[in-house]
Amino acid sequence: MTKKQNILVLGGKGKTGSRVAGRLIEKGQAVRIGSRSEDPSFDWEEPATWAGALEGIDKVYITFQPDLAVPGASEAIEGFTGQAVKSGVKKVVLLSGKGEIEAEKCEKIVMNSGLDWTIVRATWFNQNFSESFFLDPILAGHVALPKNDALVPYVDANDIADVVVASLLNDKHNGEIYELTGPRTLTFSDVVKEISAATGKEIQFTAISMEEYNAMMQEFNLPDGYLWLINYLFETVLVESNSVITNDIEKVLGRKPTDFTEYVNAAVKRGVWDPVGVGHK
């Protein structure tokens, strides 16, 4: 039986954080959620909150919002890991982005912090289509995106959470960098076809240029920082070198990663893409 530890889960209400927290609680661990609404509160933009959130904590799962690539992220990670050392934390697991050069600067800070560490680099999540920025266009029945030639090995947030939990609870993962992908690659139009077929809803896909996509986003009055990040992710992550499929999920968990079709079928059963929110039988 795993020894009970005090584990801080930053972004504990997000896509991976909520899943990690739930799994740790099921395994009898003492979990503290790192978020502004918790007590003690945690806010990346308020370094004064960090020491309180870290008090009495053994290990930390670090997710950084909105992304490790954004300006200021490396300074925040450096400050936070420094505070973690002062607070007596033993280990951190960092969620990073596969193929993000800026994120790798943050990884190096964690590696050189003096803490035990595991780096989990994930490609784009399946759940981006059910819990994040691609959900609304799918519900609207029309998805327009650039770079449809990009092949993405989408990874499931549940698989990421399982790898993170294993890394937090077992020291054999110390000093490891895991690159997590799904078992196959899909284009955006492939994704839309799969979801359309599984839901029985007509969902149109239109391939557009990056310029057209930016103009479309500007019409929604999105903040400049968000526009910068979207451009960075499309230009940096959706490249050929990032379409490589890894076997790290199988290496850590002893099982195959979740296929996109499995994810879609589970989401359909939960009624995620049903506009009236009624689950499918």
Side-chain angles (χ1 to χ4, degrees), residues 32-205:
R32 180 180 295 164
I33 302 297
S35 116
R36 281 187 293 242
S37 60
E38 294 293 313
D39 184 17
S41 72
F42 175 87
D43 188 342
W44 277 114
E45 294 178 8
E46 298 288 342
T49 64
W50 300 352
L54 285 164
E55 188 175 351
I57 291 296
D58 302 307
K59 297 180 178 179
V60 185
Y61 174 46
I62 302 177
T63 64
F64 185 84
Q65 294 298 324
D67 193 276
L68 286 176
V70 302
S74 59
E75 291 83 356
I77 294 296
E78 187 153 25
F80 179 79
T81 53
Q83 183 60 58
V85 171
K86 281 184 202 163
S87 298
V89 170
K90 300 291 185 286
K91 178 175 181 176
V92 296
V93 175
L94 177 71
L95 179 66
S96 186
K98 188 169 175 285
E100 295 182 30
I101 303 302
E102 299 300 320
E104 288 176 22
K105 291 180 186 172
C106 295
E107 295 175 9
K108 286 190 172 62
I109 291 166
V110 168
M111 292 176 193
N112 295 324
S113 65
L115 298 161
D116 286 333
W117 55 267
T118 306
I119 306 294
V120 176
R121 291 179 185 159
T123 187
W124 280 17
F125 301 178
N126 292 341
Q127 281 73 12
N128 286 346
F129 298 96
S130 54
E131 300 174 24
S132 194
F133 43 89
F134 298 139
L135 174 59
D136 286 345
I138 287 170
L139 290 176
H142 185 209
V143 179
L145 288 169
K147 301 203 75 167
N148 188 46
D149 55 339
L151 292 165
V152 183
Y154 292 100
V155 67
D156 199 85
N158 291 300
D159 290 346
I160 299 170
D162 286 341
V163 170
V164 168
V165 168
S167 300
L168 284 166
L169 298 183
N170 194 321
D171 288 343
K172 74 178 183 181
H173 300 294
N174 289 0
E176 297 287 351
I177 299 174
Y178 295 125
E179 297 203 334
L180 308 189
T181 73
R184 63 190 170 108
T185 58
L186 299 96
T187 63
F188 289 130
S189 56
D190 292 335
V191 165
V192 170
K193 275 181 200 160
E194 281 224 26
I195 296 173
S196 178
T199 56
K201 285 171 52 180
E202 187 179 344
I203 308 169
Q204 294 180 326
F205 176 80

